Amino acid sequence: MRQSTYLLPTLREAPAEAETISHRLMLRAGFIRQLAAGIYTYLPLGWRVLRKVESIVREEMDRAGAQEILMPAMQPAELWQESGRYQVYGPELIRLHDRHEREFALGPTHEEVVTTLVRNEIRSYRKLPINLYQIQTKFRDERRPRFGLLRGREFLMKDAYSFDLDWEGLDKSYWAMYDAYTRIFTRCGLNFRAVEADAGAIGGEGGTHEFMALADIGEDTIATCTQCEYAANLEKAEAGPGVSEYREVAVGEHEKFHTPNIRTIEQLTESLGVSADRFIKTLIYLADGQPVAVLVRGDHDANEVKVKNYLGATNVELADPETTRQVTGAPVGFAGPVGLKIPVLVDREVASMQAGIAGANEQDYHLRNVRPGRDFPVEKTGDFRNVLEGDRCPRCSGTLKFYRGIEVGHVFKLGTKYSEKLGAKYLDANGKEQVMIMGCYGIGVSRVLSAIVEQSHDDNGMIWPVAVAPFHVHLIPVSVKDEAQIKVAEELYDRLRQTGVEVLMDDRDERPGVKFKDSDLTGIPIRLTVGKGAGEGRVEYKERAQSESMDLSIEEAMDRIVKLVKESK
Ligand SMILES: [Zn+2]
């Protein structure tokens, strides 16, 4: 491609609303342009990268035996009603209707459509297992679209769905996808971790892993062990055995003391001069509308997902102040476990305390010497808190370290959630009807672009790994008015392209400084500059990730480039 006529509008400054490095750089380098909040056009460079990521995904999915299809983005509402998700999905589902007033949704995901397809087309066990995938535009009406391609309302995803005869089959399909994902993200040049995750709203039994690209701007916290392979997201990460062991020591009766207007742990630690781990924090939640109390140590945060899973509830949320007042008899800030008439879930670390300070369920009062088991029941004890950095690993004697991550992929055991509801059944060898066992597997294809840029850039711009770079080589004749330079540049342009190397030639009549700045910004991995040495057949070779350039003969440069491009495939 020749840059003089190529749509590559670079900007000196990024629009102020671009908060993240990847968003800023992709705007500045002319990769994307926003059409509406969270909705983007891919310009030629952005589109080229997107297609490269897509083709890596496609190659690895095909290699894993999955079959590509393409399903419609527009889905009839009846399908979503059949699965029960039409209401549950909430305002993130974009709904519309046609001229006959029939309702539709723009698909954020395709379980309903693919399950219906398989239900209609597959009847015999001989046709299973099968894994169907597509690379397609998805829609999600985010409340707050941001971070460019990271949290958009329209985005490109690869989604795959496996259908198996039984749970052992699902296990195989699941790990085949896990391996394929590992290859995909490795080939994309990402620094990532596969972490255990909670099953979440999509529902289903069994395991699930998230593939997280490590990046400071990531919206998810992941906990990884410093010694073993254990890695989980914060929702899921299990607390290892606590440090404080319960010892039988005499503790006096609990006693009330005056704490006027002191509601938070911070205020308490300050006014009493006692560390936060000596307090028992009492939180009132509504689990499917029913109040429950959750006790965690003062220095810990309750984990709503763990509470939800323990109770088998569909929805768990902090109770409103009015409910808290009704349940505890005191305003928020003075709740405590003593005398509560609702179920009390006790975090293990609280259960193993000798005694602690807690709210008195009376305005402006707290209790000291509150003893687990004596002053409140500890029958419902479990892991109900978020882990902290430095906690013990649940699997070994190592400790947990935190990272921020961007979720780029997700593998998920669905089980029979959709096949049951939508009737995806097959006849087994004995002619008996059985429900298919499903898995689903997503990759945020457009998100991968942002994740790569977050991990791979410097002060001057992006640095694309060769495998997904928009072009392999940025060929820059320093002066387009210099005949010798143009001759060598044109010759290189043809020769490189004939060997399958993708070249963008900056044939603009611009100052060299402008050309080099733009080149660094776009992050094309190899820069080949044709300047003063052109007459002697010399060119300047520079890799974007390196600071040094080299003066090479045309043949030497050709060899290096061809080798580098080959290695990336
Ligand atoms: Zn460990």
Side-chain angles (χ1 to χ4, degrees):
M1 287 296 165
R2 291 166 193 273
Q3 205 166 331
S4 56
T5 51
Y6 203 58
L7 183 59
L8 202 174
T10 56
L11 307 169
R12 286 282 159 267
E13 300 290 334
E17 72 271 14
E19 299 163 90
T20 59
I21 288 164
S22 56
H23 191 191
R24 283 201 294 272
L25 288 177
M26 276 195 256
L27 287 169
R28 282 189 54 207
F31 276 53
I32 55 170
R33 285 293 180 263
Q34 181 176 296
L35 181 65
I39 300 175
Y40 290 89
T41 298
Y42 294 90
L43 274 55
L45 286 192
W47 178 239
R48 289 180 71 95
V49 177
L50 196 70
R51 285 183 51 192
K52 292 212 174 159
V53 174
E54 243 186 82
S55 70
I56 289 174
V57 169
R58 195 169 269 125
E59 279 170 33
E60 294 299 341
M61 289 303 291
D62 290 349
R63 190 210 293 226
Q67 303 171 35
E68 187 170 5
I69 60 173
L70 181 60
M71 293 178 272
M74 193 158 152
Q75 308 177 7
E78 293 90 66
L79 273 185
W80 284 72
Q81 276 149 358
E82 220 180 310
S83 73
R85 283 209 290 183
Y86 199 58
Q87 299 312 324
V88 180
Y89 218 90
E92 290 192 351
L93 185 67
I94 298 182
R95 296 151 210 255
L96 60 157
H97 47 75
D98 68 8
R99 63 169 72 199
H100 307 295
E101 293 300 319
R102 285 190 49 177
E103 283 184 82
F104 287 85
L106 290 180
T109 174
H110 278 69
E111 281 84 4
E112 282 81 359
V113 180
V114 76
T115 310
T116 305
L117 175 77
V118 170
R119 160 183 85 189
N120 294 341
E121 304 304 326
I122 294 182
R123 288 296 292 155
S124 163
Y125 71 97
R126 289 193 187 85
K127 296 283 189 187
L128 295 175
I130 193 167
N131 185 336
L132 299 171
Y133 80 96
Q134 64 174 346
I135 297 176
Q136 205 228 28
T137 301
K138 298 271 191 266
F139 300 86
R140 190 176 297 154
D141 199 359
E142 293 283 351
R143 181 194 299 271
R144 198 176 155 221
R146 59 190 188 141
F147 298 166
L149 304 181
L150 278 180
R151 194 162 282 286
R153 296 197 291 170
E154 178 178 323
F155 48 95
L156 195 67
M157 265 193 80
K158 186 285 298 175
D159 46 330
Y161 306 89
S162 65
F163 296 81
D164 275 278
L165 295 170
D166 49 32
W167 285 91
E168 290 74 53
L170 170 60
D171 225 39
K172 253 189 221 159
S173 300
Y174 183 87
W175 290 106
M177 284 295 102
Y178 183 100
D179 291 342
Y181 278 31
T182 302
R183 286 194 299 271
I184 288 167
F185 297 125
T186 304
R187 286 182 62 185
C188 288
L190 280 173
N191 178 14
F192 68 96
R193 293 292 291 264
V195 308
E196 293 179 19
D198 183 72
I202 196 168
E205 309 116 84
T208 169
H209 282 86
E210 289 169 355
F211 286 77
M212 295 289 207
L214 305 187
D216 291 339
I217 61 130
E219 295 182 279
D220 301 285
T221 300
I222 59 182
T224 66
C225 177
T226 49
Q227 279 178 31
C228 74
E229 289 296 298
Y230 183 75
N233 70 15
L234 193 59
E235 276 180 1
K236 170 81 177 178
E238 303 155 43
V243 268
S244 57
E245 292 286 309
Y246 185 83
R247 282 169 294 113
E248 193 62 35
V249 292
V251 171
E253 289 301 303
H254 62 74
E255 54 175 340
K256 200 157 79 175
F257 63 105
H258 198 211
T259 48
N261 287 318
I262 294 184
R263 293 159 184 269
T264 66
I265 295 288
E266 267 165 22
Q267 291 167 339
L268 280 165
T269 52
E270 207 166 286
S271 73
L272 301 180
V274 174
S275 62
D277 60 3
R278 298 279 309 282
F279 295 90
I280 298 169
K281 196 153 61 176
T282 305
L283 299 151
I284 309 297
Y285 281 95
L286 286 174
D288 295 339
Q290 296 302 312
V292 295
V294 176
L295 310 186
V296 293
R297 226 166 60 184
D299 57 332
H300 289 153
D301 287 324
N303 180 312
E304 289 173 22
V305 170
K306 290 177 181 176
V307 170
K308 194 171 108 179
N309 291 345
Y310 180 87
L311 295 170
T314 2
N315 185 38
V316 166
E317 55 185 2
L318 264 183
D320 50 284
E322 189 43 43
T323 305
T324 301
R325 184 186 275 277
Q326 275 171 20
V327 166
T328 66
V332 173
F334 300 100
V338 181
L340 282 183
K341 300 280 185 288
I342 55 171
V344 178
L345 308 192
V346 185
D347 183 67
R348 284 200 309 245
E349 299 292 327
V350 170
S352 67
M353 284 167 90
Q354 304 298 320
I357 300 164
N361 293 330
E362 186 179 334
Q363 178 152 11
D364 294 341
Y365 284 96
H366 279 77
L367 298 176
R368 60 168 66 92
N369 289 342
V370 174
R371 183 156 196 173
R374 183 190 70 184
D375 298 330
F376 61 88
V378 289
E379 280 79 49
K380 298 178 196 306
T381 293
D383 174 13
F384 300 121
R385 69 176 179 99
N386 285 339
V387 295
L388 292 178
E389 196 157 25
D391 276 351
R392 273 271 295 279
C393 168
R395 302 276 186 274
C396 77
S397 60
T399 51
L400 297 179
K401 187 169 163 48
F402 281 7
Y403 294 94
R404 306 292 293 171
I406 298 168
E407 186 189 334
V408 286
H410 199 167
V411 292
F412 202 98
K413 289 183 183 174
L414 283 171
T416 58
K417 183 179 160 86
Y418 295 95
S419 43
E420 195 84 75
K421 283 206 170 104
L422 296 160
K425 295 172 184 164
Y426 67 94
L427 296 175
D428 68 14
N430 302 316
K432 206 168 153 252
E433 198 165 67
Q434 306 278 2
V435 179
M436 296 180 197
I437 312 292
M438 289 175 63
C440 71
Y441 317 93
I443 288 181
V445 177
S446 39
R447 212 166 223 235
V448 168
L449 269 63
S450 298
I452 294 171
V453 178
E454 288 296 334
Q455 290 186 352
S456 187
H457 65 265
D458 62 15
D459 290 344
N460 299 321
M462 309 189 253
I463 305 172
W464 289 102
V466 180
V468 293
F471 288 94
H472 301 130
V473 173
H474 207 172
L475 178 61
I476 302 182
V478 173
S479 165
V480 290
K481 297 201 177 82
D482 184 309
E483 270 176 41
Q485 287 183 23
I486 281 299
K487 187 167 166 288
V488 170
E490 290 287 352
E491 187 192 319
L492 272 166
Y493 183 62
D494 289 338
R495 282 186 63 189
L496 284 168
R497 290 195 306 153
Q498 277 155 20
T499 54
V501 175
E502 298 165 13
V503 191
L504 178 67
M505 177 157 70
D506 192 349
D507 57 343
R508 294 176 303 165
D509 187 10
E510 284 282 3
R511 284 179 295 116
V514 172
K515 292 186 176 188
F516 293 147
K517 251 199 163 59
D518 281 351
S519 181
D520 281 347
L521 184 58
T522 54
I524 296 172
I526 302 163
R527 186 170 84 197
L528 210 50
T529 308
V530 183
K532 287 199 182 76
E536 293 81 56
R538 309 294 294 180
V539 291
E540 187 194 277
Y541 171 99
K542 181 176 177 301
E543 290 177 19
R544 177 66 182 85
Q546 309 293 329
S547 52
E548 301 297 312
S549 61
M550 285 180 282
D551 177 58
L552 300 178
S553 73
I554 288 173
E555 295 312 317
E556 286 166 337
M558 282 289 299
D559 288 349
R560 270 181 187 270
I561 292 165
V562 170
K563 186 161 166 280
L564 207 65
V565 170
K566 212 180 216 161
E567 280 169 358
S568 77
K569 291 201 169 138

